[in-house]
Amino acid sequence: MTSIALRKDIPSAELEKSQIAFSHVTLDLGGKTIIENVSLDVKPGEFLCIIGASGCGKTTALRLAAGLYQPTSGHVSFDGEPMRAPRRDVAIVFQDYGKALLPWRTAAGNVALALETIGMPKAQRPARIDELLKKVGLPNHAAKYPAEMSGGMQQRLQIARCLAQEPKALLMDEPFGALDAMTRQGLQDEVLSLLDASKATVIFVTHDLEEAIYLGDRVVGLLPHPGRIGIDLPINLPRPRDQLTTRENPEFLRLRRELFDFIKASEA
Amino acid sequence: MNWALTLWRLASFAVAAGLIALWQLIANLKLVSPVFLPGPDRAWAALMRGFSNGTLLDKTIGTLEHMFYGWLVASVVGIALGAMIGSSRAMRSYVAPSLEFLRPLPVSAIIPVAIALFGLTQGMALFVIAFGAIWPMLLATVHGFGAVEPRLYEVARSLHMSRLAVIFKIALPSASPDIISGMRLSLTVSLILAVVCEILAGLDGLGHWVLLSARAFRSADLFAGVILLGVIGYVTALAMSMIEQRLLRWRTSGH
């Protein structure tokens, strides 16, 4: 918690380009418009949080970014290329970690799944698995099955598998939504320090406003029915962030107020 | 906790011993003619005699071979076919009606067809046993493939896993509990059909032994054969459930 360094030191030329770009994206599903005319640029290394009332299409927006859905009109691109299918360098952390892990493989085996598919030679895998499990704080649990692990541990394991893909971008769908408050705060800090090391771009969907402000460089709020962008706030809180001082910062409180009012107005 | 289990075991052994004692009593009192009902003592003696001169061992091996080969063919074909049908919607709609016609067909009705095709041969037995034993596995595999967690397919998509990798790394292990319980059912079916084929086609095995003993009024030998068949059924089922426990460790492990 103490050693979260500043995570941005990306060349300024890189910042001109966007890594994930939505341009006039509309998505209809089952005759209903879920997302309407969303344009959004996410810079390399940026930590973008998406918030919004339930049913506003947060998860759908994330699935569009992942290539799991294709827009009805408009387009989504990654590094300037159209996103037609999921990419290996874009990892998805699902909310329901229990369903996204292979229950018949141990923690090490679940991480190995990603290493096998990226074609890492067998001899190199054990060292890499150890390194990844250590990174997410599961160094002594390699031989455990998911059913033997707590929710927080399972989510860490899913994150380890995603990091094994060596992603340029990490898409996280309410990853800590099902965890208790203490576990959640611990994981927030761990994610910040992990991403500090990997410099991956992040889109992080959450319904927890404080979590969004605490983690993000920028928070985008969606309006419901159909989902569209209602607010786009830069978060200029100093890094490294700290669970106590950051959350007591007057700017944090001001942003929380602004987002709270936004959600309230959007639900009215 | 453990002593309760031991007590249950003891009780079940006591019941078995009681039944054997009752059998001995009935035989001793000659309530049934000894020509038809030997006591456990005579059945045991026949068993020992059969093993000491090697005939019963040969018959047992014969039956085990019929059962095991048929089951193996049924497993390989059933799981492969089930995987093909279960992983493709098109295959399901093409093949399902034919399967629905074949499945309820009594295997006993297939035996004359098989005899006509293959003669009274080992091939006939293999075909009949495999045909009868394939259904539990085929249906379990199709069901297991249909019940794979959709989220795992999304994980596979995001990892760009090949179709083959998805089948071997996700669908098959996910369906394995279904498949293994299908294999256990099939094992029982295989034993039944092995005996039936031996009786009908005169193939070397316990089925044939039992039939000949009955015809020659060698009731002790008849009972020895029946006892051995029971032991085969019991031991193979036990082995199967041990394999099941070992393979499905991930399922039972929890806090």
Side-chain angles (χ1 to χ4, degrees):
Chain A
M1 205 186 282
T2 47
S3 63
I4 302 165
L6 216 89
R7 58 179 299 266
K8 298 290 157 291
D9 46 350
I10 287 157
S12 54
E14 284 284 301
L15 282 176
E16 302 307 311
K17 294 185 283 181
S18 60
Q19 183 147 57
I20 302 168
F22 281 56
S23 112
H24 304 287
V25 170
T26 296
L27 178 74
D28 299 336
L29 278 179
K32 227 178 119 191
T33 303
I34 311 290
I35 296 275
E36 188 174 67
N37 198 22
V38 165
S39 292
L40 183 67
D41 283 319
V42 189
K43 305 289 178 209
E46 190 172 25
F47 198 127
L48 175 82
C49 293
I50 299 180
I51 57 140
S54 52
C56 70
K58 302 185 290 274
T59 295
T60 310
L62 198 80
R63 293 175 68 85
L64 280 161
L68 288 170
Y69 286 152
Q70 291 301 313
T72 310
S73 67
H75 56 264
V76 178
S77 63
F78 188 90
D79 278 346
E81 296 165 29
M83 191 82 176
R84 298 208 195 285
R87 300 167 55 115
R88 227 178 241 168
D89 54 2
V90 177
I92 312 162
V93 179
F94 293 100
Q95 178 183 12
D96 41 9
Y97 40 78
K99 293 180 178 172
L101 294 169
L102 307 183
W104 54 86
R105 285 198 183 204
T106 60
N110 269 282
V111 176
L113 181 78
L115 299 178
E116 289 159 18
T117 22
I118 63 172
M120 177 181 276
K122 204 167 187 173
Q124 296 172 22
R125 285 182 215 152
R128 181 75 176 132
I129 290 168
D130 283 350
E131 183 194 345
L132 285 162
L133 287 177
K134 206 165 163 187
K135 248 188 202 172
V136 298
L138 298 172
N140 302 319
H141 303 284
K144 280 196 180 155
Y145 289 98
E148 297 171 304
M149 304 168 92
S150 69
M153 288 160 76
Q154 290 185 36
Q155 191 55 293
R156 283 161 206 250
L157 178 56
Q158 196 191 175
I159 292 171
R161 185 178 67 199
C162 286
L163 293 176
Q165 288 174 250
E166 293 179 6
K168 287 188 191 162
L170 206 54
L171 308 177
M172 307 179 88
D173 183 12
E174 299 202 35
F176 312 142
L179 303 173
D180 63 87
M182 286 309 290
T183 310
R184 175 189 287 227
Q185 291 199 350
L187 276 169
Q188 286 167 355
D189 290 331
E190 278 175 36
V191 159
L192 285 181
S193 65
L194 283 172
L195 292 169
D196 175 45
S198 84
K199 309 265 184 305
T201 310
V202 181
I203 300 182
F204 190 104
V205 166
T206 177
H207 60 260
D208 179 342
L209 306 182
E210 293 195 22
E211 182 171 72
I213 303 166
Y214 183 74
L215 294 172
D217 296 316
R218 185 178 158 203
V219 175
V220 165
L222 296 185
L223 290 167
H225 314 296
R228 63 226 124 95
I229 293 180
I231 195 170
D232 190 341
L233 286 178
I235 309 293
N236 291 313
L237 291 166
R239 289 184 190 269
R241 295 191 179 160
D242 176 88
Q243 292 288 357
L244 292 176
T245 56
T246 302
R247 286 174 192 268
E248 286 164 355
N249 189 314
E251 175 68 2
F252 184 94
L253 299 175
R254 188 192 66 74
L255 288 162
R256 189 178 73 166
R257 182 55 182 260
E258 193 168 349
L259 288 176
F260 187 81
D261 288 343
F262 164 76
I263 293 287
K264 224 174 153 190
S266 80
E267 279 176 335
Chain B
M1 289 310 272
N2 235 338
W3 62 266
L5 196 73
T6 319
L7 212 66
W8 278 112
R9 288 249 165 85
L10 278 175
S12 64
F13 276 119
V15 169
L19 285 174
I20 292 171
L22 186 69
W23 173 17
Q24 184 73 64
L25 189 73
I26 291 171
N28 288 349
L29 295 175
K30 299 207 160 75
L31 292 177
V32 181
S33 158
V35 178
F36 303 113
L37 183 77
D41 51 347
R42 281 175 55 213
W44 181 255
L47 206 59
M48 288 299 108
R49 193 171 58 242
F51 271 109
S52 64
N53 65 25
T55 41
L56 263 184
L57 186 66
D58 289 347
K59 307 287 173 195
T60 307
I61 290 171
T63 298
L64 280 174
E65 274 179 1
H66 293 145
M67 171 185 174
F68 184 71
Y69 289 138
W71 180 70
L72 203 67
V73 169
S75 299
V76 171
V77 177
I79 293 169
L81 213 61
M84 262 160 65
I85 296 167
S87 60
S88 141
R89 188 166 301 156
M91 274 292 279
R92 244 193 323 269
S93 52
Y94 292 148
V95 181
S98 315
L99 291 183
E100 283 310 307
F101 172 76
L102 286 173
R103 188 172 61 88
L105 221 58
V107 188
S108 42
I110 293 296
I111 295 177
V113 179
I115 291 176
L117 285 176
F118 298 98
L120 296 172
T121 60
Q122 303 286 353
M124 183 283 289
L126 191 69
F127 175 82
V128 169
I129 296 167
F131 183 89
I134 201 171
W135 301 106
M137 261 167 312
L138 180 64
L139 297 177
T141 309
V142 171
H143 176 261
F145 268 62
V148 176
E149 170 59 46
R151 185 67 83 220
L152 291 179
Y153 285 136
E154 287 183 350
V155 170
R157 276 178 74 193
S158 99
L159 283 169
H160 281 214
M161 286 169 72
S162 68
R163 206 179 150 78
L164 216 60
V166 171
I167 288 178
F168 280 101
K169 291 179 182 172
I170 292 183
L172 266 180
S174 168
S176 61
D178 284 315
I179 294 175
I180 291 174
S181 66
M183 288 173 87
R184 199 167 38 176
L185 271 175
S186 297
L187 201 60
T188 315
V189 176
S190 300
L191 178 59
I192 296 170
L193 290 175
V195 171
V196 169
C197 286
E198 284 161 11
I199 288 178
L200 284 179
L203 298 173
D204 215 22
L206 287 172
H208 191 50
W209 167 271
V210 166
L211 182 73
L212 291 186
S213 305
R215 281 188 183 155
F217 297 101
R218 287 186 280 119
S219 62
D221 286 342
L222 166 64
F223 272 67
V226 171
I227 289 168
L228 271 178
L229 284 171
V231 170
I232 291 177
Y234 183 75
V235 170
T236 50
L238 204 68
M240 196 64 207
S241 67
M242 273 163 69
I243 292 169
E244 182 172 9
Q245 261 175 24
R246 171 116 192 90
L247 286 178
L248 303 183
R249 236 176 340 157
W250 53 273
R251 263 180 120 207
T252 44
S253 57
H255 312 257

